[in-house]
Amino acid sequence: MDALVAHCEKTGEPLRHFVSRALSDALGLDHSTLFQVSTTGALVQGVYNEAVTIGGLRPHGDFGLGTFEGLDGEMVVLDGKFYQAHADGSITEPSDKASVPFATLTNFRPQHHGKIEGIDSMSSLIAALDKLRRSDNLFFAARLDGHFEEVYWRVACKVEAGVHLDKATDAQAEFRQKDVRGTMLGFWTPAYSRTIGVAGWHLHFLTDDRRNGGHVLGAKAASLEVQVHDLDNLHLAIPETREFLHADLTQDPAAALEKAEMAKDR
């Protein structure tokens, strides 16, 4: 026990996290793994063809986000259920045969619980979440539950393959809803992985009644319950489709992602 405590004090790793990781290794269990299909660099280049199906994703996580073939809406994975937010504002549960070009999932097992307060903009939301990260070099998953004074989100509209992401999202559907209860969820990706994932926080939203949701552009809330899961293992599934294999993935997608992911009037 003395050696364990000394190790945790030296590294800053929470004792609970170290024990959980050690037991997972000893028992051969998956732990703190971020599972991702394809890359944001491929999305920027318009690679929206099927890389996997919903059925193929289910074993890899109960929490996550992504999109569907042809950018046909936004994916939200919450409590083991998969949802598809459509550009007309509706929410459906896709079949296991539904095609997915990009997704990020994990088995959400938070190590940290708390509250964030006084959220009056997207920037204040991000600042509050950033305070809960213990490193700039790990991946993190976060879940926020509660009453939102306002949520502003978008849903991508279906496009033809090959249309670059920043152009494809010019026609996105945007929604605002006030006085609503729901859940925000998503991931923080380190800057060094910006060709793989969206650097910084990438959040999707789903109302408690499961009738509205999409990619978060803004939010206001007095107080939210927050849970954070540190992720120290990345599993990247590379598509073997013709479109992915021949795409030019040498360019930095950061500028195009900034344009596509943020509010147009930001």
Side-chain angles (χ1 to χ4, degrees):
M1 178 58 74
D2 289 343
L4 177 58
V5 170
H7 169 83
C8 291
E9 288 179 348
K10 180 179 179 180
T11 63
E13 181 178 20
L15 187 148
R16 179 181 176 183
H17 180 245
F18 178 88
V19 172
S20 176
R21 180 164 57 85
L23 286 172
S24 295
D25 287 340
L27 298 174
L29 301 176
D30 188 21
H31 63 96
S32 298
T33 294
L34 181 69
F35 178 84
Q36 183 168 302
V37 176
S38 193
T39 69
T40 49
L43 278 186
V44 164
Q45 296 301 315
V47 181
Y48 309 132
N49 304 84
E50 177 186 325
V52 69
T53 63
I54 291 294
L57 283 176
R58 288 189 187 278
H60 296 286
D62 57 14
F63 174 102
L65 50 77
T67 188
F68 294 84
E69 186 168 20
L71 282 190
D72 188 14
E74 310 288 339
M75 179 192 298
V76 182
V77 186
L78 184 62
D79 297 328
K81 290 190 175 182
F82 285 71
Y83 300 92
Q84 182 174 2
H86 299 272
D88 65 0
S90 64
I91 299 281
T92 60
E93 293 189 40
S95 73
D96 279 358
K97 294 181 179 179
S99 300
V100 175
F102 173 86
T104 306
L105 291 92
T106 192
N107 287 302
F108 191 62
R109 304 293 184 268
Q111 299 105 335
H112 315 288
H113 303 259
K115 286 186 178 181
I116 57 174
E117 299 179 331
I119 304 304
D120 59 10
S121 65
M122 192 66 182
S123 58
S124 68
L125 173 63
I126 289 172
L129 286 173
D130 279 342
K131 291 180 181 179
L132 303 177
R133 294 188 292 104
R134 64 186 179 92
S135 171
D136 289 337
N137 300 320
L138 293 177
F139 294 80
F140 296 89
R143 172 174 176 163
L144 302 95
D145 294 277
H147 174 265
F148 293 83
E149 297 170 13
E150 182 179 69
V151 183
Y152 173 30
W153 70 87
R154 75 104 195 274
V155 178
C157 299
K158 190 172 183 178
V159 297
E160 296 295 325
V163 178
H164 285 206
L165 184 64
D166 55 347
K167 296 295 183 183
T169 54
D170 281 345
Q172 67 189 14
E174 298 185 4
F175 304 88
R176 289 182 188 270
Q177 190 166 342
K178 295 184 177 182
D179 191 24
V180 59
R181 292 194 64 84
T183 299
M184 278 186 190
L185 62 96
F187 300 94
W188 189 87
T189 297
Y192 64 77
S193 300
R194 63 183 178 273
T195 60
I196 295 174
V198 178
W201 288 103
H202 181 189
L203 301 169
H204 284 193
F205 175 71
L206 191 65
T207 57
D208 278 358
D209 61 13
R210 306 302 191 247
R211 296 179 64 181
N212 300 101
H215 172 89
V216 177
L217 298 175
K220 294 181 181 180
S223 178
L224 297 170
E225 299 290 333
V226 61
Q227 303 174 72
V228 179
H229 183 176
D230 302 358
L231 299 165
D232 56 14
N233 187 29
L234 173 64
H235 182 151
L236 182 62
I238 303 295
E240 295 188 35
T241 62
R242 182 181 65 83
E243 291 79 11
F244 184 93
L245 294 177
H246 295 285
D248 179 6
L249 304 182
T250 61
Q251 301 180 38
D252 187 341
L257 285 171
E258 175 80 6
K259 180 182 177 182
E261 297 295 318
M262 300 301 180
K264 302 305 179 186
D265 59 354
R266 182 171 178 258

